[in-house]
Structure formats: structure tokens, C-alpha cells
Amino acid sequence: MLQTTAYQQLVRNLEYLKLKQMVTHLNEVIDFSIHNQLSFLDTLVKLSNYEIDVREQNMIHAMVKVGAFPHRKELDDFDFAFQPSVNKQQILDFATLRFIEGNENIVFLGPSGVGKTHLATSIGITAAKKRTSTYFIKCHDLIQNLKRAKLENRLEARLKHYTSYKLLLIDEIGYLPIEPEDAKLFFQLIDMRYEKRSTIFTTNVNFRAWDEVFREPKLANAILDRILHHATVVTIVGESYRLKNHLAQNEE
Ligand code: ADP
Ligand code: MG
């Protein structure tokens, strides 16, 4: 019988342990190690780093996927020059995720097309990439989901689920009116996350007009109170980016 060489045994061991990247890069690392007279430890570190790098990448990919972002737009894709009312340094500070440490909220307030969802998503993707559990949902969908859960007698579990995300992005508050019964469900979630978790909101409705969105002033106040207590409000005034090209054409 042919003897198994140490090399063959190692390949088998790595395969058995499902260390696929270490198998793939084994020859290359051995060659590198011989050429550069690497120590045993440095060689092992180099080889195992290949495995870890790929697993990290996969993990990041999975976290971003779980986030259910509407698109993969990131901060680098945002043209700050086009929207001078946005303080770039402030957005970069959000991207350090310092606000999540303090369980603080961010509210992007402004008319349609000025980049609220883009900025919120960019920060969300940054958080997900740093392994922060993050989830994006439109306010209307969130409320529909809570309503359905209530009908199916599993509201508590649903609220807990949405509270479990370290960062929740609630997009488009105020685009559609909210029934008082539904506003109560929304309030419950905001109350559960209050001072425990960070939430990013986008809205096109000034806070003074939230009474009309939630119909019941008392409830609107209670919701706003909790959202704004520890929040940074980013008010964006300016042109819609969607209309940018049309406007430019008309000026020609
Ligand atoms: P809002 O949520 O405020 O209605 P969006 O964030 O959806 O606006 O922006 C509308 C579209 O314009 C998106 O495709 C977005 O990526 C793009 N956009 C908005 N502002 C900018 C900007 N300053 N730089 C680059 N793209 C932008
Ligand atoms: Mg939007």
C-alpha cells in the first residue's frame, strides 16, 4: 500500500474540517513560506487568514442581505455638492455608528427626491457591514405587518422581532395616512425601542403636521416625544435629485 504523505494527510484534514480556503491556498502558501523563510507560526497565520477573510466576507454579505435594503446605494454614491443643506461631516459621523452606541435616533426630514432614503440606506448598509443587525422597512409595510400579526394573535412576537434589530430603518412616515388603531401599533414599537435601540426615520412631513398623519394628536405627540428625545434631525431642503436632469434640460 502506498503511504500517505504528510501533505496528502493535511489536505484530507483540512477538507474534513471544511477549511476550503486553506485547501485552495495551501500550495501557494507553502511556496511563499519556502521562498520567504516564513516561520511555522507565520505560515499558519497566513494560511488561516484566507479562511477567515472569506468567512468575514460571507458574513458581511449575509448581514446586508438580511437588511432588506431597497438598493445598494452607499455614501460614496451620494453627491454632497448637489445637496448643500446636508452636512457631509455629520453624515460621516453617523457612518461611524456612534449614534448606535448611544441608542440615538436619526430623522431625515425633507421633500421627495432629496436623498433621504439614499442616506438612510447608506448608513444602514454601513452598520450591517459592521455586523450590526439592521433592517429596512417602509412605514406602511411595517404597519401592515403589525396589523396582520395582531389579527393572527402574534403581535407580541412581531413587536419583539422588530425590537430585536440594533438598527431599524423606517422609511416614508407620512406618505400615507395612518388609522388611529394602526398608529397604536406603531406607538407600541416606538415605545419598545425607546432608549434601547436606534432607529432611522425618513419623512416628508413636518413634525407639526404629524397630528394629521396619525389623526390622534395625543398619540402623535407620544410617538414624536419618544422619537425626538434622543435624536438628530437632518432637515434637507433643496431640489429633487430625480428632477435634476429635467431641470438642467429646461435651463438649456
Ligand atoms: P427621498 O427618499 O428623499 O425621496 P431618494 O433618497 O430616494 O429620495 O433619492 C431619489 C433618487 O435620487 C435615488 O435614486 C437616490 O439615489 C438619488 N439621489 C438623491 N440625492 C442624491 C445625491 N445628492 N447624490 C446622488 N444621488 C442622489
Ligand atoms: Mg424616500
Side-chain angles (χ1 to χ4, degrees):
M1 254 192 81
L2 280 176
Q3 279 260 297
T4 312
T5 65
Y7 172 77
Q8 287 167 332
Q9 187 62 51
L10 177 60
V11 170
R12 263 194 229 165
N13 288 359
L14 294 176
E15 277 170 351
Y16 183 78
L17 293 169
K18 297 195 169 28
L19 298 167
K20 217 174 135 195
Q21 296 307 318
M22 287 175 70
V23 175
T24 306
H25 292 278
L26 185 58
N27 287 336
E28 161 202 332
V29 171
I30 293 173
D31 289 340
F32 185 89
S33 172
I34 293 169
H35 264 97
N36 297 281
Q37 311 223 16
L38 240 56
S39 71
F40 171 71
L41 282 183
D42 285 341
T43 308
L44 259 192
V45 167
K46 189 172 171 60
L47 187 61
S48 54
N49 275 345
Y50 279 109
E51 194 67 43
I52 287 171
D53 286 351
V54 168
R55 289 195 192 187
E56 284 278 303
Q57 283 308 316
N58 289 346
M59 164 66 87
I60 286 170
H61 190 79
M63 293 295 287
V64 173
K65 207 168 166 195
V66 165
F69 302 105
H71 44 59
R72 292 286 161 88
K73 291 201 174 153
E74 305 203 31
L75 281 183
D76 284 347
D77 306 314
F78 195 81
D79 179 3
F80 285 92
F82 179 79
Q83 215 57 268
S85 69
V86 174
N87 177 343
K88 183 174 178 180
Q89 289 310 317
Q90 184 180 41
I91 305 298
L92 293 180
D93 178 50
F94 293 147
T96 67
L97 310 181
R98 193 165 65 94
F99 74 102
I100 297 179
E101 299 292 318
N103 299 319
E104 288 162 29
N105 300 329
I106 302 171
V107 184
F108 289 104
L109 169 69
S112 181
V114 293
K116 302 181 298 295
T117 302
H118 184 138
L119 288 171
T121 300
S122 319
I123 298 165
I125 291 177
T126 305
K129 282 184 169 176
K130 298 246 167 74
R131 295 164 170 247
T132 304
S133 66
T134 303
Y135 192 69
F136 177 103
I137 191 163
K138 283 190 181 179
C139 182
H140 180 73
D141 295 339
L142 174 71
I143 287 173
Q144 292 311 310
N145 287 346
L146 291 176
K147 256 173 100 160
R148 198 174 321 128
K150 192 181 177 200
L151 278 174
E152 293 168 2
N153 263 325
R154 49 181 186 86
L155 177 63
E156 205 56 36
R158 208 62 211 152
L159 284 169
K160 272 197 188 138
H161 170 80
Y162 286 129
T163 307
S164 70
Y165 292 105
K166 254 197 110 51
L167 177 63
L168 186 66
L169 291 88
I170 305 179
D171 197 32
E172 299 188 349
I173 295 181
Y175 276 82
L176 298 167
I178 299 165
E179 298 293 326
E181 270 310 302
D182 301 346
K184 275 185 203 154
L185 299 177
F186 187 72
F187 168 77
Q188 276 181 276
L189 177 65
I190 299 303
D191 189 48
M192 280 170 81
R193 291 186 66 84
Y194 175 60
E195 293 191 324
K196 291 196 191 74
R197 301 281 194 222
S198 290
T199 311
I200 301 181
F201 303 88
T202 81
T203 181
N204 64 336
V205 181
N206 276 312
F207 301 127
R208 255 175 276 109
W210 279 36
D211 281 7
E212 288 147 44
V213 173
F214 292 98
R215 310 279 187 78
E216 259 188 49
K218 258 193 193 161
L219 207 49
N221 259 328
I223 290 168
L224 262 182
D225 220 41
R226 281 161 183 75
I227 291 178
L228 295 180
H229 187 192
H230 309 286
T232 308
V233 179
V234 178
T235 306
I236 312 180
V237 288
E239 304 279 3
S240 161
Y241 196 85
R242 293 193 189 99
L243 300 178
K244 184 175 88 142
N245 294 332
H246 298 286
L247 295 174
Q249 269 164 19
N250 287 344
E251 277 161 17
E252 276 164 12

